[in-house]
Amino acid sequence: MALLEVRNLSVAYKTPLGIVHALEDVTFSIDRGESLAVVGESGSGKSTLALAVARLLPPNAAYANGSIIFDGLDLLNMSNDSVRKIRGTGIFMVFQEPATSLNPVFKIKDQLLEALKVRYEREGNSFDENRAIDEIMKVLRDVRMTDPELIIDRYPHQLSGGQIQRIMIAMGLLMRPKLYIADEPTSALDVTVQAQILKLLKDLKRDYGISILFITHDIVVASIIGDSIMVLYAGQLMELGTMKDIIYEPRHPYTQALLNSIPRVSKAEGKLPMIGGSVPNLMNPPTGCRFHPRCPNAKDVCSKVIPNLVRVGNVYVRCHLYGQ
C-alpha cells in the first residue's frame, strides 16, 4: 500500500474578487521510500498542493473534492486535533523560507530539544536531555553540519541560509516522519549550496527510508531529486511518470516547453527558448485544456473539451494528442 494516496483533489480559495480554482482533480500516490517532485511555473498550484496534503491550508481555502489517505488514514475526515498529532512525526513540512519556521529568540539547541520532547511524548518515552543532545549531535553530523557543537548555541539570525536549511532537515529527521514535504527549499540558496542540499536529501532518503514530496519550479532540480515527476499547470496535473520517462521522453507540450527552456551550452547559442504567454487567471481559467492558449500543438478541440488524464506507456498525460 502506498504511503500517500491523493485522489481527485480539488482546492478553491475564496477571495474578495471571486473564487480561485487552485487545484482541480489531482490524483497521484507516493510509495514508502519514494520521492516525487512536483514541477510547474508560479501559479500552477504546487504550494497549494503541499499545504493541502499537510492540512495547512489558510482559512479562505476549502477542499472542494477528493481524498487524501496518509498511511491508511483519511486526513480530510479527521479533526484538526487528530491531524495535529500526525504533523511532525508523521508528516513534516519545510517551507520556502525555512528561517520563518524557527523562533528568532531561542537558540537552535532549545528548538531542536523542543522537537524531540514532542516525539518522545508521542512515543510514550520519558525525556532525557543528555540522551536528546546526543541524538541531536548525531543527526547534525548526518546532515553534514560543520561544527555542530558551536551551531546549536547560536540563534537563527547568526546562521546562513544553507545552515538554516540543514537545521530544518535535521529537525525533520529528529521527528522521524514518514513523509517529508519540501516546498521550494533550495530556491533562495546559491547554486553550490543548492546542489549540496539536494544531494543531502537524496542520501537521507536512502539512509532513513523517508518519502519526499518535493515542490520546485525548476525541472532540472526535479530531475535530480525525484524518483517520479508530476507536472502541474494552472491547477491541473498535466503529466506524471518516472524521472527517466518524463525527462527523456516528455509527452505533454507543456513538459516539452519546460525542458526546452533549460540553458544548455552558452549564450552564444542564441536566445533562450521561452514559453509564450503566461499562466491563466484561475478565477476564470480557459475552457478546454488550460494550456491551449500557449500550446504550439493546439487544435480546435483543445479550446472546447477538457482532456482526460490517460495512460500512455508508463506515463499519465492530459492532452488531446493522445487517445481520449
Side-chain angles (χ1 to χ4, degrees):
M1 183 178 70
L3 176 66
L4 177 69
E5 293 185 73
V6 175
R7 294 287 176 265
N8 308 113
L9 181 65
S10 297
V11 173
Y13 291 94
K14 187 177 182 180
T15 75
L17 297 178
I19 303 297
V20 176
H21 303 280
L23 288 177
E24 283 201 1
D25 198 30
V26 174
T27 294
F28 67 95
S29 63
I30 301 178
D31 289 335
R32 297 171 195 275
E34 180 190 13
S35 58
L36 172 66
V38 182
V39 66
E41 297 168 275
S42 296
S44 62
K46 306 184 304 298
S47 293
T48 294
L49 178 62
L51 292 171
V53 170
R55 278 278 305 267
L56 288 172
L57 288 171
N60 68 323
Y63 296 92
N65 189 44
S67 63
I68 302 173
I69 309 298
F70 171 73
D71 202 20
L73 301 173
D74 187 346
L75 296 187
L76 298 191
N77 285 325
M78 296 174 65
S79 67
N80 289 333
D81 286 342
S82 296
V83 173
R84 196 173 296 117
K85 293 176 182 177
I86 293 174
R87 293 197 197 106
T89 51
I91 299 174
F92 187 88
M93 183 167 177
V94 174
F95 297 91
Q96 189 167 352
E97 296 293 339
T100 61
S101 300
L102 295 173
N103 193 317
V105 301
F106 289 101
K107 291 183 177 181
I108 298 301
K109 177 176 69 176
D110 297 326
Q111 300 190 55
L112 294 178
L113 284 173
E114 187 64 29
L116 272 179
K117 285 179 182 178
V118 171
R119 197 196 86 203
Y120 285 7
E121 179 181 335
R122 292 180 181 179
E123 292 175 343
N125 297 323
S126 59
F127 181 76
D128 179 272
E129 185 165 325
N130 291 329
R131 173 188 161 200
I133 290 292
D134 289 342
E135 188 172 349
I136 286 171
M137 297 307 295
K138 177 187 180 302
V139 169
L140 288 177
R141 293 188 184 98
D142 284 347
V143 301
R144 304 183 187 92
M145 179 67 77
T146 305
D147 298 323
E149 298 85 356
L150 300 176
I151 292 295
I152 62 172
D153 279 324
R154 293 179 180 170
Y155 293 92
H157 74 272
Q158 295 175 305
L159 304 183
S160 68
Q163 288 173 322
I164 289 176
Q165 196 58 272
R166 281 181 165 83
I167 291 296
M168 292 308 302
I169 293 172
M171 185 179 289
L173 294 177
L174 288 170
M175 298 297 285
R176 297 182 183 173
K178 295 178 180 178
L179 177 64
Y180 190 99
I181 301 176
D183 185 6
E184 299 269 15
T186 60
S187 61
L189 306 176
D190 64 53
V191 175
T192 301
V193 178
Q194 182 183 77
Q196 293 172 353
I197 295 297
L198 291 174
K199 184 178 186 306
L200 172 61
L201 285 172
K202 289 186 70 173
D203 291 346
L204 294 175
K205 180 178 78 73
R206 178 196 65 213
D207 297 340
Y208 282 78
I210 59 175
S211 301
I212 298 175
L213 178 62
F214 193 96
I215 307 299
T216 179
H217 65 277
D218 189 335
I219 198 165
V220 175
V221 170
S223 70
I224 293 171
I225 195 68
D227 297 317
S228 299
I229 295 176
M230 177 166 65
V231 180
L232 281 184
Y233 180 77
Q236 290 185 339
L237 192 166
M238 295 297 166
E239 192 164 2
L240 172 65
T242 67
M243 184 276 289
K244 288 184 178 180
D245 283 324
I246 298 296
I247 297 301
Y248 293 108
E249 195 178 353
R251 269 81 168 181
H252 199 282
Y254 180 56
T255 310
Q256 294 168 1
L258 289 176
L259 287 165
N260 288 336
S261 65
I262 298 171
R264 282 172 169 75
V265 183
S266 70
K267 63 183 180 181
E269 294 270 316
K271 285 187 177 182
L272 187 67
M274 296 176 61
I275 307 174
S278 58
V279 177
N281 182 344
L282 293 184
M283 282 190 290
N284 186 27
T287 58
C289 174
R290 291 191 173 178
F291 186 59
H292 88 263
R294 307 172 70 187
C295 182
N297 302 318
K299 303 176 182 178
D300 187 52
V301 67
C302 300
S303 63
K304 299 175 181 177
V305 180
I306 299 174
N308 296 318
L309 189 68
V310 298
R311 183 165 182 168
V312 181
N314 295 320
V315 173
Y316 292 91
V317 60
R318 187 186 301 276
C319 181
H320 284 298
L321 291 175
Y322 304 93
Q324 296 292 321

